[in-house]
């Protein structure tokens, strides 16, 4: 019997992980704890929210008293921690939100676990979901391995690096059984349209400019979100304790090339003349501290657990576009109100 506290389950990756665990493991209780910030959306889970093994608690991980009461209420046995402020551009606009949620919030969870589990570490797991951005940037060659030194360059990645260190420190100091995984860029259904792929899909749909930072030469390693959810499932059940695992797509794309492919696919799917979307591309002022290249060496998780991506990029991207085209109401809901203010603040004066 496992009572798993999954934080950030109303967000992009979290909602796919919640769905997978609720469906695959009916004997587990899945407790989704989420503050429902701008990025959290319960609509993401409307297909499983009536399942008997699913529970939702609207709680901020900065609220220590409520965290402790959730541990008591559900007798939490394990944690999968995804709640975070996750967008690099927002961390440049307002770093403090990232320091509070990503660092202080993670320590609050660690403390709640330490108080509740009282040294019975063998029976419990704290699984911390992190990012490849903690490693900083690569030049034209090389890959991030689990031994690459941390060198974060944005307030977001520095806050995630701090949280990784703190989780590890609880392992060394108190004996906490933890796993940390550092994953590359995810894409897929339900991603908030502030990140490159859903933002550009949204803008193409609405025939708005596509603001490509710098020269569009930055490279990312893209992974379909369901493949990340599978990796999390495998690591949760079979990953070696007190270790770190890199997860990546073996799928590097320069931003400009990715956006060209996206434009071609969107023109086809929208029955617009070839080249329509590409005309919307506008090269704008670069992101400060913009990491040039990320690429993951995922050999360890492949050797230890046999995990590898199951979806090709062309399939995944096509399915992702179809999802956004079929869920225009979702897109409309999340881009009303607050979103417009963010968009103006982020993209004004970038030309
Ligand atoms: P997201 O922004 O879509 O979702 C974050 C969720 O956390 C939201 O539901 C939000 O309401 C919740 N949340 C935020 N602050 C909270 C708080 N103080 N208390 C409780 N809940 C709070 O993020 P995502 O892209 O799904 O990322 C999830 C995790 O995976 C993050 O830890 C992120 O660092 C990591 N990650 C993301 C990617 C990626 O490409 N998106 C890649 C690697 C790792
Ligand atoms: O690598 C994992 C990380 O991937 C996660 O930890 C983060 O949570 C996630 O946001 C993502 O970070 P990136 O900064 O790589 O993702 P983003 O979608 O913001 O940007 C991808 C690339 O596209 C990056 O090089 C910046 C560029 N970009 C982004 C936006 C939003 C643009 O050129 N224009 C844009 O408007």
């Amino acid at each position: 019997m496992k009572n798993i506290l999954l934080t950030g389950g109303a967000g992009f990756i979290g909602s796919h992980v919640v769905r997978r665990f609720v469906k695959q493991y009916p004997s587990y209780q899945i407790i989704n704890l989420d503050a429902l910030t701008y990025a959290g959306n319960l609509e993401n889970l409307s297909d499983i929210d009536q399942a008997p093994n699913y529970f939702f608690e609207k709680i901020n991980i900065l609220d220590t008293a409520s965290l402790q009461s959730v541990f008591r209420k559900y007798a939490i046995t394990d944690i999968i921690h995804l709640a975070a402020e996750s967008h690099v551009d927002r961390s440049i606009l307002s770093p403090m939100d990232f320091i509070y949620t990503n660092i202080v919030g993670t320590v609050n969870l660690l403390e709640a676990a330490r108080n509740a589990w009282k040294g019975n570490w063998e029976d419990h797991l704290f699984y911390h979901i992190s990012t490849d951005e903690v490693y900083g940037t690569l030049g034209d060659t090389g890959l991030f391995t689990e031994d690459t030194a941390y060198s974060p360059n944005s307030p977001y990645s520095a806050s995630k690096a701090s949280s990784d260190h703190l989780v590890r420190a609880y392992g060394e100091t108190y004996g906490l059984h933890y796993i940390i995984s550092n994953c590359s860029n995810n894409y897929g259904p339900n991603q908030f349209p502030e990140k490159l792929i859903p933002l550009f899909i949204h803008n193409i749909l609405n025939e708005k400019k596509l603001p490509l930072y710098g020269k569009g030469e930055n490279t990312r390693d893209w992974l379909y979100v369901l493949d990340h959810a599978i990796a999390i499932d495998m690591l949760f059940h079979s990953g070696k304790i007190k270790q770190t695992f890199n997860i990546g797509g073996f799928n590097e794309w320069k931003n400009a090339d990715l956006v060209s492919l996206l434009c071609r696919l969107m023109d086809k799917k929208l029955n617009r003349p070839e080249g329509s979307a590409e005309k919307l591309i506008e090269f704008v002022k670069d992101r400060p501290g913009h990491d040039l290249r990320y690429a993951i060496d995922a050999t360890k998780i492949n050797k230890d657990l046999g995990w590898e991506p199951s979806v090709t990029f062309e399939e995944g991207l096509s399915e992702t576009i179809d999802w956004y085209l079929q869920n225009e109401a979702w897109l409309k809901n999340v881009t009303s109100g607050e979103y417009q203010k963010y968009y103006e603040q982020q993209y004004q004066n970038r030309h």
Side-chain angles (χ1 to χ4, degrees):
M1 182 70 185
K2 286 188 183 294
N3 301 330
I4 304 174
L5 183 68
L6 200 149
T7 70
F12 165 50
I13 301 172
S15 60
H16 290 283
V17 179
V18 166
R19 179 175 298 100
R20 180 170 178 89
F21 274 72
V22 164
K23 287 192 163 173
Q24 297 274 124
Y25 305 106
S27 69
Y28 297 178
Q29 302 212 65
I30 306 301
I31 299 98
N32 173 14
L33 183 150
D34 198 299
L36 299 182
T37 68
Y38 77 93
N41 186 347
L42 289 178
E43 258 187 76
N44 294 345
L45 292 164
S46 55
D47 58 325
I48 56 98
D49 63 7
Q50 298 305 312
N53 62 337
Y54 171 77
F55 305 85
F56 175 68
E57 295 283 347
K58 182 178 183 304
I59 288 173
N60 193 310
I61 54 171
L62 294 171
D63 176 352
T64 50
S66 297
L67 277 186
Q68 282 173 8
S69 73
V70 161
F71 267 79
R72 280 194 300 271
K73 181 173 170 189
Y74 297 97
I76 298 300
T77 56
D78 303 86
I79 298 179
I80 306 180
H81 176 35
L82 294 107
E85 289 291 341
S86 69
H87 190 38
V88 173
D89 291 322
R90 286 186 194 255
S91 82
I92 296 167
L93 293 172
S94 330
M96 286 314 286
D97 297 340
F98 289 70
I99 306 308
Y100 288 127
T101 286
N102 297 0
I103 305 177
V104 180
T106 300
V107 179
N108 282 343
L109 262 184
L110 287 164
E111 278 296 284
R114 189 161 80 91
N115 284 331
W117 295 343
K118 299 195 177 9
N120 295 320
W121 303 122
E122 297 71 32
D123 302 332
H124 305 290
L125 175 67
F126 190 111
Y127 181 179
H128 179 58
I129 306 298
S130 193
T131 170
D132 62 355
E133 299 202 9
V134 298
Y135 298 122
T137 187
L138 292 163
D140 290 335
T141 57
L143 298 171
F144 294 135
T145 72
E146 286 80 1
D147 296 324
T148 302
Y150 275 29
S151 182
N153 291 318
S154 71
Y156 164 67
S157 52
S159 68
K160 290 296 290 188
S162 302
S163 63
D164 292 9
H165 289 320
L166 284 156
V167 172
R168 207 189 130 269
Y170 270 64
E172 292 302 309
T173 305
Y174 304 111
L176 176 79
H177 280 199
Y178 72 85
I179 286 175
I180 300 174
S181 57
N182 297 83
C183 189
S184 63
N185 287 62
N186 285 217
Y187 70 98
N190 305 93
Q191 188 169 31
F192 193 80
E194 60 186 352
K195 311 279 163 60
L196 180 74
I197 291 178
L199 177 79
F200 279 27
I201 292 175
H202 175 252
N203 285 12
I204 293 170
L205 259 174
N206 293 290
E207 299 183 78
K208 279 177 73 173
K209 293 279 185 204
L210 307 177
L212 202 45
Y213 296 160
K215 296 182 176 145
E217 279 174 351
N218 304 69
T219 298
R220 297 290 182 265
D221 174 357
W222 294 93
L223 178 69
Y224 195 53
V225 64
L226 294 175
D227 277 325
H228 190 187
I230 293 170
I232 290 173
D233 182 346
M234 288 172 128
L235 284 171
F236 177 81
H237 288 100
S238 315
K240 281 197 199 106
I241 298 305
K242 294 194 177 179
Q243 293 207 7
T244 283
F245 294 84
N246 283 353
I247 307 171
F250 301 100
N251 179 39
E252 286 185 53
W253 284 80
K254 264 198 175 110
N255 290 339
D257 296 337
L258 185 159
V259 169
S260 285
L261 171 64
L262 181 67
C263 286
R264 285 198 302 278
L265 287 171
M266 288 288 289
D267 282 345
K268 263 201 201 138
K269 289 181 191 277
L270 292 169
N271 290 320
R272 290 183 185 160
E274 221 180 295
S276 308
E278 195 115 20
K279 282 194 200 124
L280 299 170
I281 295 173
E282 180 181 46
F283 289 93
V284 299
K285 199 158 128 210
D286 210 352
R287 172 187 278 175
H290 195 175
D291 289 330
L292 177 69
R293 177 171 163 259
Y294 304 146
I296 284 277
D297 179 349
T299 307
K300 182 178 173 185
I301 185 171
N302 177 259
K303 279 217 171 113
D304 276 20
L305 302 174
W307 176 88
E308 60 185 2
S310 66
V311 177
T312 68
F313 190 53
E314 286 71 9
E315 279 163 9
L317 191 59
S318 174
E319 276 176 27
T320 302
I321 297 171
D322 290 344
W323 186 85
Y324 283 93
L325 295 182
Q326 285 153 18
N327 289 275
E328 278 200 66
W330 182 95
L331 206 46
K332 272 216 177 88
N333 278 347
V334 302
T335 52
S336 57
E338 209 31 56
Y339 180 84
Q340 304 300 338
K341 260 195 250 159
Y342 162 74
Y343 199 87
E344 256 170 52
Q345 195 182 2
Q346 172 59 24
Y347 292 101
Q348 73 186 351
N349 307 326
R350 281 197 103 99
H351 313 279

